[in-house]
Amino acid sequence: MANLLYRLGRFSFRRRGLVTALWLVLLAAVGVGAATLSGPTSNAFSIPGTESSQAITVLREKMGVGADDASAQVVFTASGQAKLTDPGGQAAVTAAVAALRAAPQVAQVGDPFQAGTVSPDQRTAFASVTYTVAPGDLTDTDRQALYAAGRTAEAAGVGVAFGGTATQQQQAGGAAEAIGIAVAAFILLLTFGSLVAAGLPLLTALLGVGFGMGGIQIATGFFDLSTSTSALATMLGLAVAIDYALFVVSRFRHELADGHDPEQAAGRAVGTAGSAVVFAGLTVIIALVALSVTGIPFLTAMGLAAAGTVAVAVAITLSLVPALLGFAGPRILTADRRKGIGRHRSQATMPLGGRWARGVLRHRVPALLLALGVAGVMAIPALDLALALPDDSTAAPGSTQRMAYDQLSSGFGAGFNGPLLLVVEDSLGGVGTAAEQAQQAVSRLPDVAVVTPPTINPDRDTAMLTVIPHSGPGTQETKDLVAAIRDFAPAVAASTGADLSVTGATAVNIDVSDKLTAALIPYLAIVVGLAFVLLMLVFRSVLVPLKATVGFLISVAAAFGALVAVFQWGWLADLFGVPSTGPIVSIMPIFLIGVLFGLAMDYEVFLVTRTREEYVHGAAPDDAIVTGTRHGARVVTAAALIMISVFAGFILTDDTIIKSLGFALAVGVAVDAFLVRMTIVPAVLSLLGRAAWWLPAWLDRILPDVNVEGEQLTRRLAEQTSFAPAPPQRQSAAAPAEEPAVAASADLSHQAEPIPERELVSV
């Protein structure tokens, strides 16, 4: 693979105009497709095959009820000592209902005084508004018409608030991306000391994200995608694209500073650092694509969209980055480094990465225990992890959705915010008897406030009942009620022959959360197993992959703990702009595991491959660790800080899913890069010594040699150099022809020409 990438890097460098033009044409084509083929997105979560999803289909086919269509609750509240049943209040509500019925896309509006949705104290009432389209098909104009119609009652002193799926809309994330990019630019400038070198990774990252977003917009015209899909893909695309370009640009600068001509430097950079980028990108892509094994369509779509964006980032890094390096040439280096290209440079002090590694190895047991202790303390809150899907109860205090939720809870009880729909089917025409039996039995169950009389369709084979619980939609009591009703269904079938099922938004959310929880352990097993196999291929060791996998689990546990502490317990909630606390979004654990797995493997590859390389070339275990960390620490630190800044920028968004995922990923990357890979990994490798690189002979024979670190390519190039006439400035670094292995080692590690820490960015 390294040889192929070497040739790709040189080709892209030589034909840089053609390669750049092709990418720009592709970007324009994707942009045109996005503008003409895009469709709506949705905030709804559902899983085909679950009882609640099947019941929604029955309601739509048998009763013409679109249970997944947009809906709203317009909540009216009397002010002072007045009541809504007073002449003025009633007239204001009636006029508002008439205005709501005239709003665009509205199918039906329930008058509170006719539907009986007035609270016992007559101070709160609500009108249920149903639409003819799904939430994602509503425009801002439709929502503003809803708000304007409902607020006509405010002229009479009646308070008005709005809740429901019709009020939900996608939040813009421009500020989040801008902040992440600005911080990344600052870090790149500090790392490279050159505007050209700092700007190139940012440019390619923006192009990659443009491709990803355009592809997602095209996909929305053919598939149902969540409103969070684009933000998740942008978050990952920016982070990995900047990091991958950073690794290649760093290696290119190193090769230039070592005296290679620009084309040769580009080939070497793509052949070595590019090989690691391919492996790192594949681990992220595989982890995201593996989300499809959960059988959850919206999660699969999110994973595939994010994986596609990462794949584009890898392709751009391997082809467009060397082309742009061709335009930049030696200007990618600072002016003083351009003057010293190819010259012997002394290095008076050990770089910070090497000093850090020596300190860890000198105190390996205390360092290991301290790092494990910090990660363990961070992980403790994860034991209290509670999962649910977001609803209006988790909306920001002061928002119209939260006010509507609180007013309904106060006037009618918390259960009015999460009604359950019972669907009774009987093809023999006895649905009325079965529905009445279900009404009587369900009304006697714990936590049931009201069961409405059945509504029967004209064919008299399907009936629908509404159950209002005492408890709110996200409580354990409501979950137990749904389970109790489903346990009662076989008795109805045995006595009447009718099928009884439960649906509605609350039941759908419960089913989705249960499905996600059940899929978590199998998915974790797949990811952990994949990590072990892939790392065994890379490092040709048993204990190193085991150590890396355990380190990944430590990072995940710490990220979960921090997530629970801030978003569920409320610690430092004001600092991070968390408006309200509650259960963690159900999709968070499984998605967080997939993303962190890929990112953790990135740092493992970029740091430990150099350690293995030094050990294979004869270095003592501890010396190999110091050298590997010395060469990789600077660039990995910069890459981690960039990822952290990009993810942390999304904490500023209003979307609950994106805010919490951005926070969890920022914490997870910080723990994995600095606690696990930079501290725990060197300490454990030192304790294991030579045993860390043990691999059974029979396994060594059957495992393919993936050569991620490009060692074979470097050896081949070194051998060619040793047999070819060497330029004067390179003669002092060339090894004798009869010692090709030594030549390869010298060329790979560049120990003959030490480079100051500022330029020491080799992968």
Side-chain angles (χ1 to χ4, degrees):
M1 180 175 66
N3 292 329
L4 176 63
L5 293 178
Y6 169 76
R7 292 193 294 270
L8 174 61
R10 295 190 63 179
F11 171 83
S12 297
F13 187 95
R14 288 196 308 271
R15 307 299 299 273
R16 47 188 173 271
L18 174 63
V19 172
T20 304
L22 287 176
W23 276 108
L24 292 177
V25 169
L26 287 174
L27 181 61
V30 171
V32 172
T36 57
L37 300 175
S38 63
T41 57
S42 172
N43 281 315
F45 296 100
S46 63
I47 301 177
T50 60
E51 178 180 314
S52 56
S53 178
Q54 292 172 341
I56 287 175
T57 302
V58 171
L59 288 178
R60 185 185 297 111
E61 295 176 351
K62 299 290 187 178
M63 306 192 70
V65 177
D68 53 352
D69 288 339
S71 63
Q73 291 80 44
V74 183
V75 183
F76 303 97
T77 307
S79 59
Q81 301 299 318
K83 296 181 178 180
L84 293 177
T85 52
D86 294 340
Q90 187 166 349
V93 172
T94 301
V97 169
L100 288 167
R101 287 172 176 161
Q105 307 287 5
V106 170
Q108 184 179 357
V109 181
D111 189 317
F113 301 106
Q114 297 178 5
T117 54
V118 180
S119 65
D121 62 4
Q122 301 178 1
R123 293 180 47 77
T124 304
F126 70 92
S128 296
V129 182
T130 57
Y131 283 81
T132 59
V133 296
D137 294 326
L138 288 179
T139 65
D140 289 337
T141 302
D142 297 333
R143 294 187 184 90
Q144 293 305 318
L146 168 70
Y147 299 149
R151 285 169 179 159
T152 57
E154 291 179 345
V158 176
V160 183
F162 304 85
T165 59
T167 65
Q168 300 171 355
Q169 61 187 110
Q170 187 173 4
Q171 301 290 336
E177 289 94 328
I179 291 174
I181 291 173
V183 177
F186 178 72
I187 295 170
L188 287 169
L189 189 59
L190 288 180
T191 302
F192 291 135
S194 165
L195 287 175
V196 175
L200 196 149
L202 291 176
L203 175 61
T204 56
L206 291 175
L207 288 174
V209 170
F211 273 101
M213 294 304 96
I216 290 172
Q217 288 301 313
I218 293 173
T220 59
F222 303 92
F223 308 100
D224 294 329
L225 296 182
S226 166
T227 54
S228 301
T229 301
S230 294
L232 294 174
T234 300
M235 185 190 306
L236 283 178
L238 275 177
V240 301
I242 294 174
D243 276 8
Y244 294 165
L246 165 66
F247 292 125
V248 172
V249 172
S250 298
R251 188 58 183 248
F252 177 75
R253 284 162 53 94
H254 196 135
E255 298 294 342
L256 277 183
D258 201 38
H260 296 292
D261 66 81
E263 181 182 330
Q264 184 70 216
R268 286 171 174 261
V270 177
T272 52
S275 297
V277 166
V278 169
F279 176 83
L282 281 176
T283 58
V284 180
I285 292 169
I286 292 173
L288 292 171
V289 172
L291 290 170
S292 59
V293 305
T294 63
I296 303 173
F298 69 83
L299 192 61
T300 299
M302 293 168 69
L304 291 177
T309 305
V310 173
V312 171
V314 172
I316 286 178
T317 301
L318 300 178
S319 58
L320 183 58
V321 167
L324 295 180
L325 289 173
F327 289 112
R331 288 175 299 174
I332 205 77
L333 296 173
T334 57
D336 59 328
R337 301 317 308 155
R338 290 199 296 270
K339 295 178 182 178
I341 288 177
R343 297 178 184 173
H344 182 83
R345 294 176 294 276
S346 62
Q347 183 169 296
T349 61
M350 171 71 73
L352 178 61
R355 296 199 301 271
W356 173 265
R358 285 183 174 177
V360 170
L361 299 190
R362 188 178 300 115
H363 309 286
R364 55 191 183 186
V365 174
L368 177 61
L369 294 178
L370 179 61
L372 289 175
V374 171
V377 170
M378 291 181 65
I380 289 175
L383 298 174
D384 193 37
L385 177 67
L387 301 176
L389 288 176
D391 56 29
D392 287 345
S393 67
T394 60
S399 65
T400 188
Q401 293 89 347
R402 181 62 176 269
M403 289 190 294
Y405 183 94
D406 292 341
Q407 289 169 6
L408 282 177
S409 298
S410 176
F412 298 92
F416 268 80
N417 288 291
L420 305 174
L421 298 180
L422 302 188
V423 180
V424 183
E425 300 175 82
D426 189 346
S427 59
L428 300 179
V431 71
T433 302
E436 291 176 0
Q437 179 179 337
Q439 179 186 11
Q440 294 173 4
V442 171
S443 63
R444 293 192 293 267
L445 292 175
D447 202 48
V448 173
V450 177
V451 181
T452 64
T455 300
I456 302 176
N457 70 335
D459 294 336
R460 302 196 64 81
D461 60 359
T462 306
M464 180 179 70
L465 303 87
T466 300
V467 179
I468 306 297
H470 285 297
S471 303
T475 62
Q476 185 60 45
E477 290 81 2
T478 300
K479 295 179 182 179
D480 293 340
L481 175 59
V482 171
I485 295 173
R486 288 172 173 170
D487 290 341
F488 172 69
V492 174
S495 60
T496 65
D499 295 325
L500 173 66
S501 55
V502 187
T503 188
T506 300
V508 169
N509 287 353
I510 290 173
D511 286 347
V512 170
S513 295
D514 289 345
K515 181 79 171 180
L516 287 167
T517 302
L520 181 60
I521 299 302
Y523 179 70
L524 181 61
I526 291 173
V527 168
V528 170
L530 176 65
F532 188 84
V533 172
L534 290 178
L535 292 177
M536 191 162 56
L537 288 174
V538 173
F539 299 121
R540 311 197 72 78
S541 164
V542 174
L543 295 180
V544 170
L546 181 61
K547 172 267 306 172
T549 304
V550 173
F552 156 66
L553 295 177
I554 292 173
S555 302
V556 169
F560 281 158
L563 189 65
V564 170
V566 174
F567 286 83
Q568 188 174 314
W569 291 358
W571 292 4
L572 303 177
D574 293 338
L575 176 63
F576 293 103
V578 180
S580 61
T581 59
I584 305 302
V585 180
S586 299
I587 68 171
M588 190 62 56
I590 198 165
F591 204 87
L592 183 60
I593 286 172
V595 175
L596 273 183
F597 161 71
L599 301 182
M601 296 308 102
D602 284 1
Y603 300 132
E604 182 75 13
V605 170
F606 290 126
L607 279 173
V608 183
T609 49
R610 186 55 182 264
T611 300
R612 176 185 179 274
E613 179 184 316
E614 294 297 323
Y615 176 77
V616 170
H617 288 157
D622 282 3
D623 292 339
I625 295 169
V626 172
T627 302
T629 307
R630 174 168 64 91
H631 283 274
R634 182 179 179 86
V635 69
V636 167
T637 298
L641 290 175
I642 289 171
M643 278 201 177
I644 292 168
S645 64
V646 171
F647 293 147
F650 285 84
I651 299 174
L652 302 178
T653 65
D654 295 327
D655 187 286
T656 303
I657 296 176
I658 301 304
K659 179 187 287 287
S660 55
L661 183 59
F663 172 82
L665 286 175
V667 172
V669 168
V671 171
D672 194 83
F674 301 118
L675 275 184
V676 175
R677 308 303 158 187
M678 299 283 286
T679 306
I680 294 177
V681 166
V684 171
L685 287 178
S686 179
L687 289 171
L688 292 174
R690 298 185 183 277
W693 308 104
W694 172 79
L695 183 70
W698 63 269
L699 190 56
D700 186 45
R701 287 192 298 270
I702 64 175
L703 286 179
D705 187 0
V706 295
N707 188 31
V708 171
E709 66 272 16
E711 180 183 347
Q712 295 174 2
L713 169 66
T714 308
R715 180 182 294 112
R716 181 176 64 82
L717 294 176
E719 290 173 350
Q720 292 175 356
T721 302
S722 65
F723 285 102
Q729 69 270 23
R730 300 289 296 166
Q731 287 179 354
S732 61
E738 64 272 17
E739 295 181 10
V742 176
S745 177
D747 186 81
L748 187 62
S749 63
H750 305 292
Q751 292 176 351
E753 296 181 341
I755 299 174
E757 179 185 356
R758 183 180 183 83
E759 293 297 325
L760 197 52
V761 287
S762 168
V763 175

